[in-house]
Structures are given as C-alpha cells and as structure tokens.
C-alpha cells in the first residue's frame, strides 16, 4: 500500500493529464471522502472535484467524466452494488478508477485500476484508515499536478496524528459517558459543524444516530444555522456542536455564542481542546475529520450503552429487500 507510488503511476498512465477527481461512495464511506473533496476545492487551482453518492453518480454522471477523470471509490465490504456499478460507469467513460476496501476479495477490486486494502478496527491507528488514505492520496495528486506548499506541514501532521487521536480518545471517555447519561432519553439531535468537519456532522447524524440508534437527527452547517435552522433553538432541544480548527472556526464560534445564550442542552466537541492544535495551522483543518471520527465514536458507544441499544442492531439494513 504505497500512496506515493500509486500517484506516480497514475500520472504516468494518464500522461499527467488529470482534470477532475470524483469521490464516489455510500453512507459512512462517502462521509470519509468529504474532507478530500474539500481539500481539492479549497487548495487546487487546476483540478475539478465532485462528491457523489454512488447511485446518483450511476444515474447522473458528471458531464466532464472522461479520459481526464480520476474516480475514487470506497466500500468497506467492497460489494456495495451502487459503488461497484459506479466504477463500471467510470470505466465506460474512459476514467481511471481507484478503489478502497477492507475486503481482499471485494467485487470493487475487479473494477479498480488501482486499489488499496485499508486497515480497520483500531481507532487509535488512524493514518491507515480509508479517510486518511484518501486524504493522503488527494494532497499528493494536487502536489504532483501543480505543487502544494503545505505538503511538508501535512506530512508532519500525518506523522503525529495517531498520537493526537489516541490522547483525545482517552480524554473524551468520561465526557462521552456523561453526555450519554444526560441525553439517553432524547429522541432528536441537531449536529452542527463547518468546513472540512461538516462531513462528520452529516455522518454522525445519519450513521451513528439514525442508523445505529434509530434516533431522529439532522446535520446543520454552522454557516447556515442563522439562515433558518436557529429558529428551532430552545432550552429543550439538544445540539451537538463539532468545532474544528482552521479557516471556518469563526462560523462555529458564532453558533456557540448563540447557543450559549438561548439553548440549554449543548454538547461541544472542540478539536482545539482535544489537542489538534499541535498540528501546523496551515493544515490542521484537514485533520479535523480524522480526529472527530474517533472521538465521536466514543460518544456513540457511550450512548449505545446508556440506551441499551447495540450499535449493530438493524431493522431493515441487510434484513429486507430495498
């Protein structure tokens, strides 16, 4: 699993003519891609990026999809039907595909020009998980395409992120337990975040709360909070504010000031408080989601225990035809 070698081979195979990167997956795998899409959009002057849920990509592929496109696809099982079909769509259009999965016998690998079998299970070893791998892949593509001055700072961040996450996980355990005890009987949560972190507000809402706990939940972008959603704020409505480091932190801080005045049930998960600020300011925002995935996993585990609702219990997923 050599990301640099794969990127070099990709550029050689495409004669350096990469114009677009599309990130395609479903559910949690799509959440893992959000930061990579964010990096391309915020950092690259030459590359176009798109983030697609796989079935939409199949039915409405981007018009620019073609021989200058790279399509990154991820499926934990490697057999998500929509994602495998999306890879076929990409191939028919002449694009190059990069597949990521945990399953060495995955169907997705058959449709991938380049592939990665990622690590899974140890939330304190995050540099080898799919989110970190795709982020590493993405910044190396940007750097090879046009140069990226922040690459040395990013590399230093990757060198220490496991240690940062491990310490943050240990620190948050008692807070997560207290959160779960306080909110065990709630049925609805709003989850706020911005910038590179917003994907994990979305992911925590749809995967951790809705899928795994059968609770109503909605992600809200901190920047959009004051353009409609804040009207639901009262002292009885629970909010989870995921505060990242970086250029959009001001959006989260504005939301926090409002919630501190008008809400009563507010849980703040702050990357700065959890030690992410040891990573250089120029790249720390890109590590927010890596930290938040592991930290919020502690919250969902604590909530699962407090509610006596196992994280693997399902009513429909894998149970019925859909």
């Amino acid at each position: 699993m050599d990301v640099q070698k794969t990127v070099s081979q990709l550029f050689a195979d495409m004669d350096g003519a990469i114009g677009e990167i599309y990130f395609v997956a479903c559910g949690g795998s799509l959440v893992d891609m959000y930061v990579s899409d964010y990096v391309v959009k915020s950092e690259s002057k030459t590359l176009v990026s798109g983030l697609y849920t796989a079935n939409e990509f199949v039915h409405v592929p981007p018009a620019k999809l073609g021989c200058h496109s790279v399509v990154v696809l991820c499926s934990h099982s490697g057999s998500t039907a929509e994602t495998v079909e999306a890879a076929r769509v990409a191939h028919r259009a002449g694009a190059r595909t990069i597949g990521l999965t945990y399953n060495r016998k995955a169907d997705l690998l058959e449709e991938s020009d380049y592939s990665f079998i990622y690590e899974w299970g140890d939330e304190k070893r995050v540099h080898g998980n799919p989110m970190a791998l795709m982020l590493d892949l993405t910044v190396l593509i940007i750097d090879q395409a046009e140069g990226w001055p922040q690459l040395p700072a990013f590399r230093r961040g990757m060198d220490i992120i496991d240690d940062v996450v491990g310490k943050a996980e240990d620190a948050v355990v008692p807070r997560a337990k207290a959160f779960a005890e306080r909110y065990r009987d709630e049925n609805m949560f709003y989850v706020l975040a911005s910038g590179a972190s917003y994907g994990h507000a979305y992911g925590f809402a749809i995967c951790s709360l809705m899928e795994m706990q059968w609770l109503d939940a909605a992600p809200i972008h901190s920047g959009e909070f004051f353009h409609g959603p804040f009207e639901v704020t009262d002292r009885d409505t629970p909010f989870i504010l995921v505060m990242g480091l970086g250029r959009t932190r001001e959006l989260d801080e504005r939301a926090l000031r409002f919630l501190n005045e008008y809400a009563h049930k507010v849980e703040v998960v702050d990357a700065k408080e959890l030690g992410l600020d040891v990573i250089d300011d120029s790249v720390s925002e890109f590590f927010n989601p890596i930290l938040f995935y592991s930290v919020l996993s502690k919250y969902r585990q604590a909530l699962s225990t407090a509610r006596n609702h196992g994280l693997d219990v399902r009513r429909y997923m894998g149970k019925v035809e859909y």
Side-chain angles (χ1 to χ4, degrees):
M1 186 189 301
D2 188 326
V3 178
Q4 180 65 71
K5 183 177 180 180
T6 297
V7 171
S8 297
Q9 187 62 54
L10 176 68
F11 271 81
D13 292 344
M14 298 181 69
D15 296 325
I18 298 176
E20 309 87 41
I21 308 176
Y22 299 113
F23 300 95
V24 182
C26 303
S29 294
L30 183 65
V31 170
D32 285 345
M33 294 176 154
Y34 188 93
V35 62
S36 293
D37 178 65
Y38 179 89
V39 168
V40 178
K41 287 183 167 75
S42 66
E43 299 297 300
S44 177
K45 297 178 180 178
T46 62
L47 299 171
V48 173
S49 180
L51 181 72
Y52 286 84
T53 187
N55 215 13
E56 184 167 315
F57 185 89
V58 168
H59 287 82
V60 193
K64 288 178 70 69
L65 181 67
C67 61
H68 300 303
S69 304
V70 175
V71 181
V72 182
L73 308 109
C74 184
S75 166
H76 187 65
S77 69
S79 58
T80 306
E82 299 94 329
T83 305
V84 175
E85 183 58 27
R88 297 189 184 108
V89 169
H91 270 151
R92 288 197 292 269
R96 298 280 177 164
T97 58
I98 303 175
L100 295 94
T101 181
Y102 178 63
N103 180 8
R104 295 182 179 277
K105 298 180 180 179
D107 296 338
L108 180 60
L109 298 179
E110 299 297 318
E111 301 296 335
S112 301
D113 297 311
Y114 319 89
S115 59
F116 293 90
I117 309 296
Y118 55 74
E119 300 172 11
W120 196 254
D122 185 351
E123 292 170 358
K124 292 185 179 181
R125 284 179 48 82
V126 295
H127 67 275
N129 72 18
M131 184 178 5
L133 274 174
M134 286 185 281
L135 180 58
D136 200 5
L137 180 76
T138 301
V139 300
L140 288 175
I141 289 174
I142 294 172
D143 185 62
Q144 188 149 336
E146 61 195 73
W148 193 48
Q150 285 73 40
L151 185 61
F154 177 83
R155 292 260 66 86
R156 290 193 294 272
M158 287 293 283
D159 288 342
I160 64 173
I161 189 60
D162 279 1
D163 184 57
V164 173
V165 167
K167 291 177 179 177
E169 280 193 336
D170 292 341
V172 84
V173 167
R175 289 175 46 188
K177 183 177 179 180
F179 165 86
E181 291 299 327
R182 182 181 183 190
Y183 295 109
R184 62 189 300 170
D185 296 323
E186 298 288 347
N187 294 311
M188 175 71 199
F189 292 87
Y190 293 107
V191 189
L192 278 70
S194 66
S197 306
Y198 178 71
H200 269 65
Y202 173 74
F204 192 69
I206 72 159
C207 295
S208 296
L209 297 177
M210 298 177 76
E211 176 189 342
M212 297 180 183
Q213 290 298 291
W214 304 354
L215 294 170
D216 292 325
I220 302 172
H221 194 288
S222 299
E224 283 292 283
F225 183 55
F226 297 100
H227 300 277
F230 72 149
E231 287 294 341
V232 304
T233 305
D234 57 33
R235 295 178 67 82
D236 297 319
T237 302
F239 290 87
I240 301 170
L241 175 60
V242 181
M243 295 186 65
L245 292 176
R247 290 170 285 185
T248 68
R249 184 176 174 85
E250 184 179 334
L251 281 65
D252 302 330
E253 291 174 339
R254 182 187 179 197
L256 180 60
R257 289 193 296 270
F258 181 87
L259 291 172
N260 280 342
E261 183 168 356
Y262 296 105
H264 181 62
K265 298 178 178 179
V266 181
E267 178 72 13
V268 178
V269 185
D270 187 345
K272 183 176 182 179
E273 181 184 342
L274 293 171
L276 195 66
D277 57 350
V278 299
I279 293 178
D280 192 277
D281 289 346
S282 66
V283 295
S284 59
E285 65 184 305
F286 308 130
F287 290 89
N288 285 325
I290 298 175
L291 173 72
F292 287 138
Y293 173 78
S294 295
V295 166
L296 290 173
S297 292
K298 296 301 181 185
Y299 275 84
R300 76 182 180 200
Q301 182 60 60
L303 194 60
S304 168
T305 300
R307 299 182 69 245
N308 193 29
H309 184 118
L311 294 173
D312 295 325
V313 177
R314 301 291 184 272
R315 280 185 289 202
Y316 308 113
M317 188 175 287
K319 305 285 187 180
V320 301
E321 294 293 327
Y322 51 87

